[in-house]
Amino acid sequence: MGRETNLIHGLPEPFKIKVVEPLVVPSPERRKEAIREAGYNTFLLRSDDVYIDLLTDSGTAAMSDNQWAGMMLGDEAYAGSKNFYTLEKSIQDVLGFPYIVPTHQGRGAEHLISRALIKKPGLLVPRNMYFTTSKEHVELQGASMPDVVIDEAHDPESMLPFKGNVDIAKLKKVIEQNGAEKIAFVYVEMNVNMAGGQPVSMANAREVSKLCKEKGIKLVFDATRSSENAFFIKEREEGYAKKTVVEILNELMGYADACIYSAKKDCLVNIGGFIGTRDIGIFEATREMVVTYEGLHTYGGMAGRDMEAVARGLREGAQYEYLKYRIGQTNYLGKMLMDAGVPIVKPVGSHAVFLNALKFVPHIPREQWPSQALAAAIYEDSAVRSMERGAVSKGRDKNTKENIFPKLELVRLTIPRRVYTNTHMEYVAESIIHLHEHKDEIKGLKMVYEPPALRFFQAKFEQV
Ligand code: F0G
């Protein structure tokens, strides 16, 4: 299926550097102390103690001169800021949604959509794999989130080009077994984060949309990484090679009734989010609520200058040459690791390289949090900060309170956009390859503090 990508590994950066932020590498002694103080949780490290920060691609991008220039045009009027209208136009052009509701970031949008569409407890929101905050907001409204992604998404070795696809048979089964009235909405994530940054194909989006229409169920996209998803459609799906990323995005988004969007990723900004919709009911419901939870409906928690940066960033982040470099850099890191025999999720996704902890540290039992232990060991080795994406992130079953051990137990090396050079990627690869050669020395962890919700952010551990 599909055709070969034409990515070149480690494309030269399509920009030059105007401002630099000096970095220091903390000493080995300080690293050992810092990770112990942080309870072996990389979220609790101070960024001063980090050399290369691959915790997340969220809010960590370097803005362009054009975006910074836009920041100076911030109209900080409480109501009707001109930057809101620029943002609205940019979303209409790039994504094709006529109505928008701004929010402070993605989870603000997740909150409003979940409140608007989950009208009573006990409903279902099928999704192509959970994302932490999306699931939390669905569960806070009393609904649950059955997984309807294809089986291959849970297999780090499967090389399918669209591993984020919805399994139509699974989705049909959920609808048939429960009745369409029990489905609050279908949630489809672009470039599925927890699966390794794996895209959804246009054909799959079309099919899900058709099914939802037949059954009278609303379809909402988590379009957070949709520009990167669109790049993969252009590269891999027949019939799209000659289309622009924006044309692809317009078609793709055309299948959804609404989207939630964290602008902190593909829009190349440090803060922001929104809901885009073509459904007047969803628009009115979320616009009414935004004033209670986020801010007036023409700023939703963003400053005027932030909205301007998002408006410009959405357009920049959908440029083919930029995306080719961006995804090429991720691929470069992935290839260096693969060539050295380090177990990673394949194929390499857009925003991160995911290490397969179950293969990397097979001597650590799952009850001793192998991904968490591996992320801590990487920091100690090289001051590179990564993130656990396994059982700690997954949390406990809401009913039985038991830990859930997902099939994928991963460490995410997430690449901020336009921030690090390819030489930085070589440093990261060198450290991880070295660690892989000494993996037997990595020790398991026990959890000594566990917050009740989204525990991965603040949990603390000790070495066993
Ligand atoms: N949806 C997806 C797919 C995400 O990856 C995120 C955030 C959100 C929604 C929530 O957006 O952070 O702006 O509130 N992901 C970040 C990450 C935190 O590191 O993957 P937010």
Side-chain angles (χ1 to χ4, degrees):
M1 189 158 93
R3 59 188 179 80
E4 287 274 50
T5 74
N6 63 357
L7 288 183
I8 301 163
H9 302 300
L11 285 179
E13 293 80 359
F15 50 79
K16 57 184 176 173
I17 297 165
K18 198 180 312 240
V19 177
V20 297
E21 185 180 327
L23 291 174
V24 285
V25 189
S27 68
E29 297 72 37
R30 176 61 203 147
R31 297 193 308 244
K32 207 173 165 68
E33 188 181 64
I35 194 68
R36 192 173 34 78
E37 285 168 5
Y40 296 91
N41 185 346
T42 52
F43 276 103
L44 301 178
L45 287 166
R46 290 171 178 241
S47 103
D48 263 357
D49 284 322
V50 173
Y51 172 45
I52 295 179
D53 202 346
L54 305 186
L55 185 73
T56 178
D57 63 329
S58 181
T60 51
M63 293 205 293
S64 66
D65 50 0
N66 179 49
Q67 285 175 293
W68 279 109
M71 295 284 278
M72 289 305 291
L73 302 176
D75 169 9
E76 306 307 338
Y78 186 89
S81 159
K82 66 183 177 201
N83 311 113
F84 169 77
Y85 299 102
T86 318
L87 176 60
E88 187 181 55
K89 179 76 171 58
S90 174
I91 295 168
Q92 288 166 346
D93 290 351
V94 178
L95 303 176
F97 289 109
Y99 309 123
I100 76 148
V101 176
T103 59
H104 78 285
Q105 61 181 79
R107 68 198 72 179
E110 293 170 335
H111 175 209
L112 300 183
I113 277 284
S114 301
R115 267 185 185 265
L117 294 178
I118 302 171
K119 301 209 166 86
K120 58 179 185 201
L123 298 182
L124 300 171
V125 180
R127 178 160 163 139
N128 53 343
M129 203 173 276
Y130 82 106
F131 182 71
T132 55
T133 53
S134 318
K135 174 163 161 275
E136 182 70 15
H137 280 295
V138 161
E139 289 178 350
L140 281 172
Q141 299 309 316
S144 53
M145 186 176 269
D147 184 10
V148 293
V149 77
I150 56 172
D151 287 341
E152 287 85 348
H154 296 280
D155 173 7
E157 301 295 327
S158 160
M159 283 297 286
L160 283 190
F162 292 104
K163 268 171 90 175
N165 276 354
V166 173
D167 184 324
I168 303 290
K170 279 189 202 167
L171 177 58
K172 276 191 178 148
K173 198 164 155 201
V174 173
I175 299 172
E176 272 153 27
Q177 284 180 344
N178 298 280
E181 65 290 349
K182 268 267 176 120
I183 313 295
F185 63 102
V186 171
Y187 222 163
V188 175
E189 184 185 333
M190 300 291 125
N191 238 46
V192 183
N193 192 352
M194 302 301 278
Q198 303 295 335
V200 172
S201 70
M202 190 72 89
N204 190 248
R206 194 179 298 130
E207 219 178 327
V208 175
S209 169
K210 187 163 163 270
L211 178 63
C212 287
K213 282 211 172 77
E214 274 166 27
K215 303 283 180 189
I217 300 169
K218 299 278 185 225
L219 176 58
V220 177
F221 285 171
D222 180 337
T224 294
R225 294 184 183 81
S226 51
S227 299
E228 294 181 355
N229 196 114
F231 176 86
F232 282 130
I233 290 175
K234 185 173 164 73
E235 292 289 308
R236 297 178 183 172
E237 193 163 352
E238 222 155 296
Y240 290 94
K242 293 212 169 71
K243 296 227 154 103
T244 67
V245 175
V246 170
E247 283 166 348
I248 293 170
L249 279 170
N250 267 269
E251 180 184 341
L252 190 61
M253 294 300 134
Y255 296 120
D257 296 293
C259 80
I260 68 99
Y261 201 112
S262 167
K264 299 174 71 172
K265 285 82 170 174
D266 283 2
C267 294
L268 300 157
V269 291
N270 308 119
I271 195 72
F274 55 86
I275 291 167
T277 183
R278 53 179 48 83
D279 179 305
I280 193 79
I282 292 177
F283 177 51
E284 284 176 353
T286 52
R287 191 186 53 182
E288 283 160 15
M289 281 189 290
V290 78
V291 294
T292 305
Y293 296 106
E294 300 281 315
L296 196 78
H297 59 279
T298 54
Y299 76 86
M302 283 183 279
R305 56 179 172 269
D306 295 330
M307 290 191 284
E308 189 62 35
V310 175
R312 293 176 184 221
L314 179 61
R315 292 183 196 277
E316 272 179 30
Q319 284 170 9
Y320 178 70
E321 285 307 317
Y322 153 74
L323 284 165
K324 190 166 170 174
Y325 141 77
R326 151 71 175 159
I327 294 175
Q329 184 177 50
T330 308
N331 209 37
Y332 180 48
L333 175 61
K335 182 153 190 319
M336 285 187 283
L337 296 177
M338 265 190 294
D339 288 351
V342 176
I344 67 167
V345 174
K346 293 169 208 156
V348 177
S350 66
H351 69 304
V353 175
F354 289 72
L355 304 176
N356 180 358
L358 295 179
K359 275 204 168 169
F360 199 118
V361 282
H363 59 286
I364 301 181
R366 296 205 68 178
E367 296 71 26
Q368 292 182 13
W369 317 109
S371 315
Q372 190 79 30
L374 179 55
I378 291 169
Y379 170 76
E380 206 175 313
D381 187 66
S382 56
V384 170
R385 169 153 69 172
S386 59
M387 183 196 287
E388 187 269 1
R389 291 275 85 153
V392 181
S393 294
K394 182 82 184 186
R396 290 176 184 273
D397 184 287
K398 278 278 180 293
N399 301 315
T400 67
K401 309 289 179 226
E402 292 296 317
N403 281 310
I404 307 170
F405 293 103
K407 282 200 188 117
L408 296 177
E409 188 66 61
L410 310 174
V411 170
R412 191 179 73 172
L413 301 159
T414 339
I415 305 180
R417 295 168 180 79
R418 303 192 294 212
V419 170
Y420 294 113
T421 64
N422 290 335
T423 321
H424 284 124
M425 295 302 116
E426 288 158 16
Y427 173 88
V428 173
E430 184 186 76
S431 154
I432 289 169
I433 292 164
H434 166 260
L435 203 59
H436 189 237
E437 284 159 5
H438 297 86
K439 59 185 186 225
D440 296 340
E441 293 159 31
I442 300 173
K443 296 194 186 94
L445 299 173
K446 72 167 188 270
M447 203 185 293
V448 294
Y449 166 65
E450 179 177 356
L454 299 173
R455 64 182 180 183
F456 56 95
F457 284 129
Q458 293 158 336
K460 289 199 162 191
F461 301 81
E462 282 170 4
Q463 278 186 332
V464 289

